[in-house]
Structure formats: C-alpha cells, structure tokens
Amino acid sequence: MKDLKRIYNFNPGPATLPLEVLKEAQEEFLNFNDSGMSIIEISHRSKPYEKVHAQTKADVLELMQLGDDYEVLFIQGGASLQFAMIPMNFASAEHKGNYILSGTFATNAYNEAKILGVGEIAASSKETGFHHVPQQDELKINPDAAYLHICNNNTIYGTEFHYIPETNGVPLIADMSSDMLSREWDFKKFDFIYAGVQKNLGPAGVVLVVAKKSLIEKSRETLPTMLRYDTFFKKDSLYNTPPEFCIYMVGKVAKWIKSQGGLKEMARRNSTKAKLLYDEIDNSEGFYRGHADKDSRSFMNVTFRLPSEDLEKKFVAEALEKNLSGVKGHRSVGGMRASIYNAMSIEGVEILAEFMKEFRKKN
Ligand SMILES: *Cc1c(COP(=O)(O)O)cnc(C)c1O
C-alpha cells in the first residue's frame, strides 16, 4: 500500500472520520461478511444487511441511554428536509412550532415552518449577531406550541447550548447535526432529535432521527407516505431502499465510540480540544477574537477572527503548509473556523494551537 498521507481535516462537514473505521470499511468493501458481495450490492431485505440495520439502531440508543419508548429512524434528504417535515407532521395554525433562532440553520428551520404558516419565534440572538445562544430567561414559549425547536450546536457561528431549555410540557425538538454523540447529555428531556450524519457520524446521505414513539405516532395522516414519520416507524425505515452504506458507516462509528469509552470519553476529548484553542484565543491579547460569547462557546466548531483579512488569508495558507486543512470560516461570518468533531485527534488540535501561537508571535 502507498504511504498513507492524511492531513488534519478541520472541515465542518463532510468531516473527518476515525481512521480505524475507514480502514475497516475498506477491508470489507469487496466481500462483506463472507457474502461475496459489497455492502452496497446486497439487498436491504437480506439477513446480513438487516443485522447491520438493527445493530446500528441498538448502539445509538445504548450510547444515548434511551429505552424502548424511543425509536431510531433513517431518513434521506438531509437535515434540511427535516426542517420541513417537522412542521408538516406536527405543527398547525392553532399549535405552531416555536423556534429559537440562534444561527443560520436554526433560522432555516424556522423559515420552513414560516412557509407553511405555522412558525413562531420563541427567542432570537440575531439582533446581537448570533454571538450567543438565547438563555432560559430570554425564552417566550407559547404554552399551546406543538413543539420548541432548537439548534443544539450552531455550526457556522460556533455556539452551542450548554443547558437544556425547560419547556413546561411543550415537546422539545433538537437539530444535533453538528454535535450528535459528542458528549453525555440528558437526551430523555428531548422528544425528537435529528442529525445529518455527515458532521460527526458518517458520510452524507442519511439523517439519524431519535424520537419518542408517542410523538412519531402524531404524524399528520394527510401527508404523502414518504413525508410521514410514522411510515418510517411502522416499516423500520425499510419502506423503500435505505442508504445502506451510510447506515453501515454510522453503525461502525457508533461501535468505535463505544470502544473508545462512550460519550463520557468523547466529552472529555472534545472539551480538552476546545480548551486548547479557546485558551490560545484568550491569551492572544486580542490578536484572535472569538466569535462566540464565553458561555455559549461550541466544543465542536471554534470560530475566530484575526486583525485583518490579509492576515486571515495568510493564516489559511500557512496552516495548509503544516497539513492543517479546512480552517477557513463560513463566508457569512468570515475569519476562521476549526471543526473539531469526535474523530479529530487531540494531537491534531495541539498542532493547530501551536501553529496559532507561532503565527501570532510572527505577525
Ligand atoms: C450542516 C447542518 C445542517 C444541514 O444539513 P444537510 O444535511 O446538508 O441538510 C443543518 N443543521 C446543522 C446544525 C448543520 O450543521
């Protein structure tokens, strides 16, 4: 085999995945489980695939410490389709979907509900530039709301919820696309969680939904079959052909997380990595300016600016020379963004932090 030249990949998504998982998938790609076929060539009604499907669901629930009042669904169309399916299934003119606007994707989710005439804003940090996640005392949740929707981690702005909103009985729905399975969390407080898996859990192509069965059963009956959650529930996400390879990869990543010590260990590594970068920002005497307010800092996407755009360009170019790739921020925020998901090693972040320090001293 040729020398494996892997860079430190700080891209926001699709993003870095554990090397062990990639190698395992490579090894069994041509002959899955002695079937003489690849995982992408076998029937979704076959025994070997069914086993992958069931094990992936079981491992996700085990990692989240959820019981059989929750169901795991696999749906295509990205997290963006969930933005529409959620209000279509659960909201109405009398019982609107309530939304916390904490960034770009949170707003995109609200906009879909607005198109349907069923969206209502419970709080927003837009006026102050999305530097923080609205706190409990800022929330105005309509007691008649069908649900409260939050975006748990704001991938573009680099802010994250560090508390779980108290909704007084209104179902809580969370987009966890960019921090799913990154830390221990009281998932039981959520009625519906979803994540496009391409940030932290696998390749693009499937959304992982983990939801209370009692909520799924409220899917709107007048919707077309493929837009209803209860179709996926009743048919075990096998109503039509599921994206087998994506689900197989999510299963491998879940198994990898378990083997590493579960969500407790992911949380330890992720907070260690985040601290390395935030410490460098805080100790830079204003050279690096973090976008997020301290109480809302993301452990997944660390966003910061440099004194000038010229220096930012130089930063990206010189980082690349050190094998540090994908640190350019989203065009809507500018500056830098280092995405440090589960699979990014502490070593990779140490090298980035060291590079930041040297760059600051030289400039
Ligand atoms: C990337 C992202 C999305 C969009 O996901 P798609 O699968 O591309 O539709 C939604 N929400 C969050 C938090 C994201 O990071």
Short mmCIF file of all heavy atoms in Angstrom, two decimals, residues 91-128:
data_model
loop_
_atom_site.label_atom_id
_atom_site.label_comp_id
_atom_site.label_asym_id
_atom_site.label_seq_id
_atom_site.Cartn_x
_atom_site.Cartn_y
_atom_site.Cartn_z
N ALA A 91 -46.99 20.55 13.37
CA ALA A 91 -47.50 21.89 13.69
C ALA A 91 -48.79 22.19 12.94
O ALA A 91 -49.11 21.55 11.93
CB ALA A 91 -46.44 22.93 13.36
N SER A 92 -49.53 23.15 13.43
CA SER A 92 -50.76 23.61 12.76
C SER A 92 -50.94 25.09 13.08
O SER A 92 -50.18 25.67 13.87
CB SER A 92 -51.96 22.81 13.28
OG SER A 92 -52.15 23.09 14.65
N ALA A 93 -51.96 25.70 12.49
CA ALA A 93 -52.19 27.12 12.74
C ALA A 93 -52.52 27.38 14.21
O ALA A 93 -52.17 28.41 14.77
CB ALA A 93 -53.32 27.63 11.84
N GLU A 94 -53.20 26.43 14.86
CA GLU A 94 -53.53 26.60 16.29
C GLU A 94 -52.35 26.24 17.19
O GLU A 94 -52.18 26.85 18.25
CB GLU A 94 -54.72 25.71 16.70
CG GLU A 94 -55.98 25.84 15.88
CD GLU A 94 -55.91 24.97 14.63
OE1 GLU A 94 -55.89 23.73 14.78
OE2 GLU A 94 -55.85 25.51 13.52
N HIS A 95 -51.60 25.23 16.78
CA HIS A 95 -50.46 24.79 17.58
C HIS A 95 -49.20 24.95 16.74
O HIS A 95 -48.78 24.04 16.03
CB HIS A 95 -50.64 23.34 18.03
CG HIS A 95 -51.89 23.12 18.82
ND1 HIS A 95 -52.01 23.52 20.13
CD2 HIS A 95 -53.08 22.57 18.47
CE1 HIS A 95 -53.23 23.21 20.56
NE2 HIS A 95 -53.90 22.65 19.58
N LYS A 96 -48.62 26.15 16.82
CA LYS A 96 -47.49 26.45 15.95
C LYS A 96 -46.20 25.83 16.47
O LYS A 96 -46.10 25.46 17.64
CB LYS A 96 -47.32 27.96 15.84
CG LYS A 96 -48.45 28.58 15.05
CD LYS A 96 -48.18 30.01 14.66
CE LYS A 96 -49.20 30.44 13.63
NZ LYS A 96 -49.48 31.85 13.61
N GLY A 97 -45.23 25.72 15.58
CA GLY A 97 -43.90 25.33 16.01
C GLY A 97 -43.20 26.55 16.54
O GLY A 97 -43.22 27.61 15.91
N ASN A 98 -42.61 26.45 17.74
CA ASN A 98 -41.83 27.56 18.29
C ASN A 98 -40.36 27.34 17.99
O ASN A 98 -39.88 26.19 18.04
CB ASN A 98 -42.05 27.67 19.80
CG ASN A 98 -43.30 28.48 20.14
OD1 ASN A 98 -43.40 29.13 21.17
ND2 ASN A 98 -44.28 28.44 19.25
N TYR A 99 -39.65 28.43 17.71
CA TYR A 99 -38.25 28.30 17.28
C TYR A 99 -37.35 29.26 18.04
O TYR A 99 -37.70 30.43 18.24
CB TYR A 99 -38.12 28.59 15.78
CG TYR A 99 -38.69 27.47 14.93
CD1 TYR A 99 -40.07 27.38 14.73
CD2 TYR A 99 -37.87 26.50 14.38
CE1 TYR A 99 -40.60 26.32 13.99
CE2 TYR A 99 -38.39 25.45 13.63
CZ TYR A 99 -39.76 25.36 13.44
OH TYR A 99 -40.28 24.33 12.73
N ILE A 100 -36.19 28.75 18.41
CA ILE A 100 -35.14 29.62 18.93
C ILE A 100 -34.18 29.88 17.78
O ILE A 100 -33.59 28.94 17.22
CB ILE A 100 -34.39 28.98 20.12
CG1 ILE A 100 -35.36 28.71 21.27
CG2 ILE A 100 -33.24 29.88 20.56
CD1 ILE A 100 -34.70 28.13 22.52
N LEU A 101 -34.03 31.14 17.40
CA LEU A 101 -33.13 31.49 16.31
C LEU A 101 -31.76 31.80 16.89
O LEU A 101 -31.56 32.83 17.52
CB LEU A 101 -33.66 32.69 15.52
CG LEU A 101 -35.11 32.61 15.00
CD1 LEU A 101 -35.38 33.72 13.99
CD2 LEU A 101 -35.41 31.26 14.38
N SER A 102 -30.84 30.86 16.70
CA SER A 102 -29.50 31.02 17.29
C SER A 102 -28.42 30.99 16.22
O SER A 102 -27.24 31.01 16.53
CB SER A 102 -29.25 29.92 18.31
OG SER A 102 -29.48 28.65 17.71
N GLY A 103 -28.84 30.94 14.94
CA GLY A 103 -27.84 30.91 13.87
C GLY A 103 -28.49 30.57 12.54
O GLY A 103 -29.72 30.64 12.40
N THR A 104 -27.67 30.22 11.57
CA THR A 104 -28.13 30.03 10.20
C THR A 104 -29.10 28.86 10.06
O THR A 104 -30.19 28.99 9.50
CB THR A 104 -26.92 29.79 9.28
OG1 THR A 104 -25.99 30.85 9.50
CG2 THR A 104 -27.32 29.77 7.82
N PHE A 105 -28.71 27.69 10.57
CA PHE A 105 -29.56 26.51 10.38
C PHE A 105 -30.83 26.62 11.22
O PHE A 105 -31.89 26.17 10.80
CB PHE A 105 -28.79 25.23 10.67
CG PHE A 105 -27.70 24.97 9.65
CD1 PHE A 105 -26.36 25.00 10.02
CD2 PHE A 105 -28.01 24.74 8.33
CE1 PHE A 105 -25.36 24.78 9.08
CE2 PHE A 105 -27.02 24.52 7.38
CZ PHE A 105 -25.68 24.54 7.75
N ALA A 106 -30.72 27.20 12.41
CA ALA A 106 -31.90 27.41 13.25
C ALA A 106 -32.90 28.29 12.49
O ALA A 106 -34.11 28.04 12.52
CB ALA A 106 -31.49 28.08 14.57
N THR A 107 -32.38 29.30 11.79
CA THR A 107 -33.25 30.20 11.03
C THR A 107 -33.83 29.49 9.81
O THR A 107 -35.00 29.68 9.47
CB THR A 107 -32.44 31.44 10.59
OG1 THR A 107 -31.85 32.02 11.76
CG2 THR A 107 -33.32 32.47 9.91
N ASN A 108 -33.00 28.67 9.16
CA ASN A 108 -33.51 27.89 8.02
C ASN A 108 -34.67 27.00 8.45
O ASN A 108 -35.65 26.84 7.73
CB ASN A 108 -32.41 27.02 7.41
CG ASN A 108 -31.35 27.84 6.69
OD1 ASN A 108 -31.47 29.05 6.55
ND2 ASN A 108 -30.29 27.19 6.25
N ALA A 109 -34.54 26.40 9.63
CA ALA A 109 -35.60 25.53 10.14
C ALA A 109 -36.88 26.34 10.35
O ALA A 109 -37.98 25.95 9.93
CB ALA A 109 -35.16 24.87 11.45
N TYR A 110 -36.74 27.50 10.98
CA TYR A 110 -37.90 28.38 11.21
C TYR A 110 -38.54 28.80 9.88
O TYR A 110 -39.76 28.81 9.74
CB TYR A 110 -37.48 29.61 12.01
CG TYR A 110 -38.50 30.72 11.97
CD1 TYR A 110 -39.72 30.58 12.62
CD2 TYR A 110 -38.26 31.88 11.24
CE1 TYR A 110 -40.68 31.57 12.56
CE2 TYR A 110 -39.20 32.88 11.17
CZ TYR A 110 -40.42 32.73 11.83
OH TYR A 110 -41.37 33.70 11.76
N ASN A 111 -37.70 29.11 8.89
CA ASN A 111 -38.23 29.58 7.61
C ASN A 111 -39.13 28.55 6.93
O ASN A 111 -40.11 28.92 6.27
CB ASN A 111 -37.09 29.98 6.67
CG ASN A 111 -36.50 31.33 7.06
OD1 ASN A 111 -37.16 32.12 7.75
ND2 ASN A 111 -35.26 31.58 6.67
N GLU A 112 -38.83 27.28 7.10
CA GLU A 112 -39.69 26.25 6.51
C GLU A 112 -41.06 26.26 7.18
O GLU A 112 -42.09 26.13 6.53
CB GLU A 112 -39.05 24.86 6.64
CG GLU A 112 -37.75 24.71 5.85
CD GLU A 112 -37.95 24.90 4.36
OE1 GLU A 112 -38.64 24.08 3.74
OE2 GLU A 112 -37.42 25.89 3.82
N ALA A 113 -41.06 26.41 8.51
CA ALA A 113 -42.34 26.47 9.23
C ALA A 113 -43.11 27.72 8.80
O ALA A 113 -44.34 27.71 8.68
CB ALA A 113 -42.09 26.47 10.74
N LYS A 114 -42.36 28.79 8.56
CA LYS A 114 -42.99 30.05 8.14
C LYS A 114 -43.66 29.90 6.78
O LYS A 114 -44.78 30.38 6.58
CB LYS A 114 -41.90 31.13 8.09
CG LYS A 114 -42.44 32.53 8.20
CD LYS A 114 -41.31 33.52 8.39
CE LYS A 114 -41.42 34.62 7.37
NZ LYS A 114 -40.20 35.43 7.28
N ILE A 115 -43.01 29.20 5.86
CA ILE A 115 -43.61 28.95 4.54
C ILE A 115 -44.96 28.27 4.71
O ILE A 115 -45.92 28.56 4.00
CB ILE A 115 -42.67 28.04 3.68
CG1 ILE A 115 -41.42 28.82 3.25
CG2 ILE A 115 -43.41 27.51 2.45
CD1 ILE A 115 -40.35 27.97 2.60
N LEU A 116 -45.03 27.36 5.69
CA LEU A 116 -46.27 26.60 5.92
C LEU A 116 -47.26 27.39 6.79
O LEU A 116 -48.35 26.89 7.09
CB LEU A 116 -45.93 25.27 6.60
CG LEU A 116 -45.05 24.30 5.78
CD1 LEU A 116 -44.44 23.24 6.67
CD2 LEU A 116 -45.85 23.66 4.65
N GLY A 117 -46.84 28.57 7.24
CA GLY A 117 -47.72 29.39 8.07
C GLY A 117 -47.86 28.90 9.50
O GLY A 117 -48.83 29.22 10.19
N VAL A 118 -46.87 28.11 9.98
CA VAL A 118 -47.00 27.53 11.31
C VAL A 118 -45.77 27.78 12.19
O VAL A 118 -45.52 27.04 13.14
CB VAL A 118 -47.29 26.00 11.23
CG1 VAL A 118 -48.62 25.74 10.55
CG2 VAL A 118 -46.16 25.26 10.49
N GLY A 119 -45.01 28.83 11.86
CA GLY A 119 -43.79 29.11 12.63
C GLY A 119 -43.97 30.29 13.56
O GLY A 119 -44.67 31.25 13.24
N GLU A 120 -43.33 30.21 14.72
CA GLU A 120 -43.41 31.29 15.71
C GLU A 120 -42.04 31.36 16.41
O GLU A 120 -41.47 30.32 16.76
CB GLU A 120 -44.50 30.93 16.73
CG GLU A 120 -44.93 32.05 17.65
CD GLU A 120 -46.20 31.65 18.42
OE1 GLU A 120 -46.19 30.59 19.08
OE2 GLU A 120 -47.19 32.38 18.35
N ILE A 121 -41.56 32.58 16.62
CA ILE A 121 -40.22 32.74 17.22
C ILE A 121 -40.33 32.83 18.74
O ILE A 121 -41.06 33.67 19.27
CB ILE A 121 -39.52 33.98 16.64
CG1 ILE A 121 -39.30 33.81 15.13
CG2 ILE A 121 -38.18 34.22 17.34
CD1 ILE A 121 -38.81 35.05 14.41
N ALA A 122 -39.60 31.96 19.44
CA ALA A 122 -39.63 31.97 20.91
C ALA A 122 -38.48 32.80 21.48
O ALA A 122 -38.55 33.27 22.62
CB ALA A 122 -39.56 30.54 21.45
N ALA A 123 -37.42 32.96 20.70
CA ALA A 123 -36.28 33.78 21.10
C ALA A 123 -35.32 33.88 19.92
O ALA A 123 -35.35 33.02 19.04
CB ALA A 123 -35.54 33.14 22.29
N SER A 124 -34.52 34.95 19.93
CA SER A 124 -33.57 35.11 18.83
C SER A 124 -32.34 35.88 19.30
O SER A 124 -32.46 36.81 20.10
CB SER A 124 -34.24 35.88 17.68
OG SER A 124 -33.27 36.20 16.70
N SER A 125 -31.19 35.48 18.83
CA SER A 125 -29.98 36.27 19.12
C SER A 125 -29.47 36.94 17.84
O SER A 125 -28.32 37.35 17.75
CB SER A 125 -28.89 35.41 19.77
OG SER A 125 -28.64 34.24 19.03
N LYS A 126 -30.36 37.06 16.85
CA LYS A 126 -29.96 37.65 15.57
C LYS A 126 -29.53 39.11 15.71
O LYS A 126 -28.49 39.51 15.16
CB LYS A 126 -31.14 37.56 14.60
CG LYS A 126 -30.80 38.07 13.22
CD LYS A 126 -31.93 37.90 12.24
CE LYS A 126 -31.48 38.41 10.87
NZ LYS A 126 -32.60 38.78 10.04
N GLU A 127 -30.33 39.90 16.48
CA GLU A 127 -30.04 41.34 16.59
C GLU A 127 -28.65 41.59 17.16
O GLU A 127 -28.02 42.60 16.86
CB GLU A 127 -31.09 42.03 17.48
CG GLU A 127 -32.42 42.30 16.80
CD GLU A 127 -33.19 41.02 16.49
OE1 GLU A 127 -33.11 40.09 17.32
OE2 GLU A 127 -33.82 40.94 15.42
N THR A 128 -28.15 40.67 17.99
CA THR A 128 -26.83 40.86 18.57
C THR A 128 -25.77 40.05 17.82
O THR A 128 -24.68 39.81 18.32
CB THR A 128 -26.82 40.48 20.07
OG1 THR A 128 -27.43 39.19 20.22
CG2 THR A 128 -27.62 41.49 20.89
#
